Structure formats: structure tokens, C-alpha cells
């Protein structure tokens, strides 16, 4: 029997086994690389069949929480948070409410990254951002590409890989935003070029205010839709 894990009824479903295992992993303070008991050991301690345990473990594997290694067995893995999102983040099968929620998340992130930008920005990064802003072109297709290039560079400049990868997941949302803007296209008072100037010569508080002004039409749209 495995110590520190509570048995559950024989008729329990895989969801209950999953919850019990989550509690077990937490109480035992498992870390990435730690080996787990075998399926048979877990099944005996939980009082369920091996098939039920296997189904619960498969869910952890899908989330990247555990993995199997030759000659070692199951171990705790370091979850790929962004990769897990990527498996389910498909705009083609999302309703308008979900797309709107994701876009609002992007708005919050854009303002919030200012602190990291001012800690890690370099002259070379700002020059590259300046070049992107200088080459902006009109038209929906080019507008989407311009937005992706400029804001993608901002996320890259934070030096945070999770933020950078998460931003890539939000790329399809740009198309949704452009569709909204066709109804009433209004540009923010602060342009991409203005934001570059604030990054080069301003401070983080000025940049935050500038980014808010840049995104203001989107916030105004949110207010009007309430």
C-alpha cells in the first residue's frame, strides 16, 4: 500500500481518482522528476481497478503533469502551460463571448508588461520596434500583420518565455478585432510610433498611460457594449 493516499469506493469514477491523486501529489510535495508509484500500487491504495487509475493518469499526461520514461516509470513532469492552452485554443470553434474574453485578457497584458519592458529593454530592441512602426501599411491584411509584428516584439522584449508563447496563442484574436473595427474603426490617440518614443525616452508610468491611450478605442467599445 502507498502511504499518504486515501482509498475511495470501488464504484468511484475516474474524476474522483483524479481528484484524489491531485491531493496526493500536493501533500507529498512531488517535484518535477520525482518517480510515482506504479499503476498497480495506486489502484490497490485507491481501491479501484487499474483501468480506472490508467484513465485518470491519462488526463494528467494530457496536461503534461506526468510522463512515462523507460526504466523509470511514471514521473512528475514540468507542465507546459502554454502548450496545454494551445491544444484547445481554436478560434474556429469558439463563440463570440470566448473570443471577447481572450481579447480583454490581451488588453490587460499589454498594459501590464510595462514594468518588464523597462527592466529588460535594449537599444537594439527599440530600434527594431521603431523599424516595424515605420513600415506600417494600410489595409486589413497588412494591419493584422503590423499589429502582430509590433505587439509580438513587445512581448519578446519582456524576456518572459511564457508571456511570449502565450501571446502567440492570441494571434488569431487579431482577426476578430479587425472584424469589430470594421463596424467603427477609431485609432487611439497614441500610435505605435508614439509608444516607441515613450520606450526610448519616457518612463514606465508614461508608457502605461500611452498604452492605455493606444488601446482606448477598445475600452470605449467595451463600455458601449455593457
Amino acid at each position: 500500500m502507498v502511504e499518504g493516499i486515501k482509498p475511495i469506493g470501488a464504484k468511484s469514477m475516474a474524476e474522483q481518482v483524479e481528484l484524489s491523486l491531485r491531493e496526493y501529489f500536493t501533500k507529498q510535495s512531488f517535484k518535477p522528476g520525482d518517480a510515482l508509484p506504479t499503476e498497480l500500487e495506486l489502484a490497490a491504495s485507491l481501491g479501484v481497478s487499474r483501468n480506472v487509475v490508467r484513465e485518470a493518469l491519462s488526463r494528467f499526461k494530457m496536461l503534461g503533469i506526468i510522463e512515462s520514461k523507460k526504466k523509470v516509470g511514471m514521473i512528475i513532469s514540468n507542465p507546459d502551460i502554454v502548450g496545454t492552452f494551445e491544444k484547445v485554443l481554436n478560434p474556429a470553434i469558439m463563440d463570440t463571448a470566448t473570443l471577447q474574453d481572450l481579447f480583454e485578457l490581451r488588453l490587460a497584458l499589454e498594459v501590464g508588461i510595462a514594468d518588464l519592458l523597462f527592466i529588460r529593454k535594449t537599444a537594439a530592441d527599440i530600434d527594431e520596434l521603431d523599424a516595424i512602426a515605420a513600415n506600417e501599411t494600410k489595409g486589413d491584411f497588412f494591419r493584422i500583420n503590423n499589429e502582430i509584428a509590433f505587439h509580438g516584439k513587445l512581448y519578446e522584449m519582456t524576456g518572459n518565455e511564457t508571456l511570449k508563447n502565450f501571446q502567440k496563442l492570441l494571434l488569431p484574436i487579431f482577426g476578430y478585432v479587425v472584424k469589430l473595427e470594421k463596424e467603427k474603426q477609431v485609432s487611439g490617440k497614441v500610435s505605435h510610433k508614439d509608444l516607441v518614443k515613450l520606450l526610448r525616452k519616457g518612463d514606465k508610468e508614461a508608457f502605461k498611460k500611452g498604452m492605455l491611450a493606444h488601446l482606448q478605442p477598445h475600452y470605449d467599445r467595451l463600455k458601449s457594449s455593457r
Side-chain angles (χ1 to χ4, degrees):
M1 301 290 283
V2 180
E3 293 183 4
I5 187 168
K6 299 177 182 178
I8 58 180
K11 294 182 180 181
S12 299
M13 303 298 288
E15 288 85 358
Q16 292 173 281
V17 173
E18 180 183 355
L19 290 173
S20 182
L21 289 175
R22 283 182 184 275
E23 182 181 351
Y24 170 61
F25 295 160
T26 301
K27 286 186 175 180
Q28 298 299 313
S29 300
F30 278 100
K31 297 291 186 294
D34 288 348
L36 296 175
T38 66
E39 289 180 357
L40 286 174
E41 290 173 324
L42 291 173
S45 296
L46 290 163
V48 298
S49 71
R50 185 177 179 180
N51 285 338
V52 172
V53 170
R54 185 173 294 158
E55 182 181 345
L57 291 173
S58 69
R59 299 179 184 187
F60 289 114
K61 289 180 180 178
M62 286 179 62
L63 295 172
I65 295 175
I66 66 172
E67 62 179 309
S68 297
K69 287 199 171 184
K70 290 182 179 180
K71 299 181 180 180
V72 178
M74 294 181 297
I75 65 169
I76 294 291
S77 182
N78 194 18
D80 180 4
I81 300 172
V82 177
T84 301
F85 273 113
E86 190 173 14
K87 293 175 183 177
V88 297
L89 205 57
N90 183 350
I93 57 175
M94 289 181 184
D95 59 19
T96 301
T98 302
L99 289 171
Q100 182 63 37
D101 284 347
L102 288 171
F103 179 59
E104 290 174 15
L105 174 60
R106 180 209 152 195
L107 291 179
L109 289 175
E110 302 267 316
V111 177
I113 62 176
D115 294 275
L116 288 177
L117 285 174
F118 275 82
I119 290 173
R120 294 172 177 161
K121 66 176 181 174
T122 66
D125 281 331
I126 296 175
D127 287 342
E128 186 177 341
L129 204 60
D130 201 2
I132 293 171
N135 291 327
E136 291 183 349
T137 313
K138 293 182 179 180
D140 287 351
F141 173 77
F142 295 106
R143 172 163 165 63
I144 294 174
N145 284 343
N146 293 339
E147 288 288 322
I148 290 173
F150 187 87
H151 291 272
K153 181 60 183 178
L154 286 178
Y155 281 87
E156 179 186 319
M157 288 170 62
T158 66
N160 185 294
E161 285 300 311
T162 299
L163 267 177
K164 180 180 174 182
N165 292 331
F166 191 71
Q167 188 269 344
K168 291 178 182 178
L169 297 184
L170 299 180
L171 294 184
I173 309 304
F174 283 99
Y176 164 73
V177 175
V178 169
K179 182 179 178 182
L180 284 179
E181 289 180 342
K182 285 183 178 179
E183 301 171 8
K184 185 179 179 182
Q185 186 166 350
V186 180
S187 299
K189 293 181 179 179
V190 174
S191 67
H192 285 166
K193 291 181 181 180
D194 294 329
L195 289 174
V196 174
K197 291 178 183 178
L198 289 171
L199 267 174
R200 197 184 294 276
K201 297 182 179 180
D203 56 37
K204 65 182 180 182
E205 294 306 321
F207 181 82
K208 285 181 181 179
K209 290 179 180 177
M211 182 60 80
L212 278 171
H214 176 67
L215 300 172
Q216 192 59 48
H218 300 302
Y219 284 108
D220 290 341
R221 190 180 296 109
L222 291 178
K223 292 178 182 177
S224 65
S225 64
R226 291 180 62 182

